[in-house]
Amino acid sequence: MSSKASVSRHVTVPSIRSSKGQRKLIAATAYGRAITEVVDEWVDIVLIDDIATMGDFGQPTLLSFTLEHMVSHARAVSRSARRACVAAGLPFSSRHKSPAQALDSALRLLEAGASAVKVEGGVEMADTVAYLVKNGVPVIAQLRRISERAQGAVAEGGVVACDRMIQAARELERAGAFCLVLEGVGGDAAGRIAAAVSIPVLAGAGSDGQILDNEDILGLGGDFVQRMARQHADMLAVVEPTPIVQTSVPVLSIPVAPARARAFGRARSPAAN
């Protein structure tokens, strides 16, 4: 029996909510079966984020990521996750009109298998979060750095910007969010915000846990890796210099039959060349 099959505890929304002060949470992004199966055993939350539109889909902004995209990813991830809590982000176009629109969109994601939805925004989204929670939808809230000008101050623990984020975090907690993700906030500021609320805050050092993009931790994002990410593999370095790139295309253009060991349907040892 594999180690994955031996894992019987399922990470639930209540268990995440009650982890505050008890243990650090681990979260990672995933958008399909393969990565979900890799991270599922080791993380508390698998997040399907609309950042995929800029990575996997090559789009310049998040606005092109639709609810239909998210529903498709939610189905794939939820079918593959046996342990972690699956949370799907509500794309901007699926939530900005009204709380009722956000609820309709959130129900689509829950029907697709997600256990919770992520809603991005500050105090302006508190009513939407409250409406979702009132109607039985578990919500992870997300706060970004307040403005371009405030970014440096927040990252370095600036008092004014940090106080505004604390106010927003408290409003989202009162609205019913069971967890909070901070983006672009670290150090003392993250610690202050985490200490100001009773729900877990994911923002790295000083907070209650960390959420990382799988492209960062697996080396799939090219030269850019976020500072807080510990890169556990360099998959691009594995693929680019190998014969997969150097010889596969020329071989495909030569009408030569493959060796028996490479024939379709023939099992071989993983160690075989």
Side-chain angles (χ1 to χ4, degrees), residues 172-195:
L172 293 167
E173 178 186 12
R174 280 193 286 269
F178 72 91
C179 185
L180 175 65
V181 173
L182 302 181
E183 183 175 346
V185 182
D188 293 340
R192 286 188 59 201
I193 297 167

Side-chain angles (χ1 to χ4, degrees), residues 76-118:
V77 170
S78 62
R79 288 170 182 167
S80 304
R82 300 181 181 181
R83 176 182 179 274
C85 176
V86 175
L90 278 178
F92 178 79
S93 61
S94 72
R95 58 177 164 80
H96 76 286
K97 290 183 179 179
S98 66
Q101 182 204 25
L103 177 60
D104 289 342
S105 301
L107 292 177
R108 291 277 310 279
L109 295 176
L110 296 187
E111 290 169 357
S115 297
V117 300
K118 179 177 70 68

Side-chain angles (χ1 to χ4, degrees), residues 92-269:
F92 178 79
S93 61
S94 72
R95 58 177 164 80
H96 76 286
K97 290 183 179 179
S98 66
Q101 182 204 25
L103 177 60
D104 289 342
S105 301
L107 292 177
R108 291 277 310 279
L109 295 176
L110 296 187
E111 290 169 357
S115 297
V117 300
K118 179 177 70 68
V119 177
E120 182 180 332
V123 293
E124 77 280 1
M125 294 304 296
D127 288 345
T128 295
V129 171
Y131 189 74
L132 292 175
V133 174
K134 179 182 177 181
N135 284 277
V137 179
V139 175
I140 295 176
Q142 179 175 359
L143 282 173
R144 293 181 186 267
R145 288 181 290 195
I146 296 172
S147 68
E148 292 295 330
R149 185 174 180 180
Q151 285 181 8
V154 171
E156 298 171 10
V159 174
V160 175
C162 186
D163 285 348
R164 290 175 182 169
M165 293 196 80
I166 287 175
Q167 178 185 0
R170 286 172 171 165
E171 287 292 333
L172 293 167
E173 178 186 12
R174 280 193 286 269
F178 72 91
C179 185
L180 175 65
V181 173
L182 302 181
E183 183 175 346
V185 182
D188 293 340
R192 286 188 59 201
I193 297 167
V197 294
S198 64
I199 58 175
V201 174
L202 305 183
S207 71
D208 304 301
Q210 178 68 67
I211 186 162
L212 293 172
D213 192 324
N214 68 69
E215 290 191 348
D216 288 331
I217 61 178
L218 297 179
L220 295 170
D223 294 333
F224 176 76
V225 179
Q226 298 185 73
R227 284 187 302 173
M228 68 281 197
R230 180 180 178 184
Q231 190 170 329
H232 294 273
D234 190 350
M235 298 304 294
L236 288 183
V238 171
V239 173
E240 289 176 349
T242 63
I244 295 175
V245 175
Q246 297 175 5
T247 65
S248 290
V249 174
V251 166
L252 289 175
S253 65
I254 302 173
V256 177
R260 285 183 60 82
R262 300 289 183 185
F264 176 77
R266 190 176 184 85
R268 66 186 180 91
S269 166

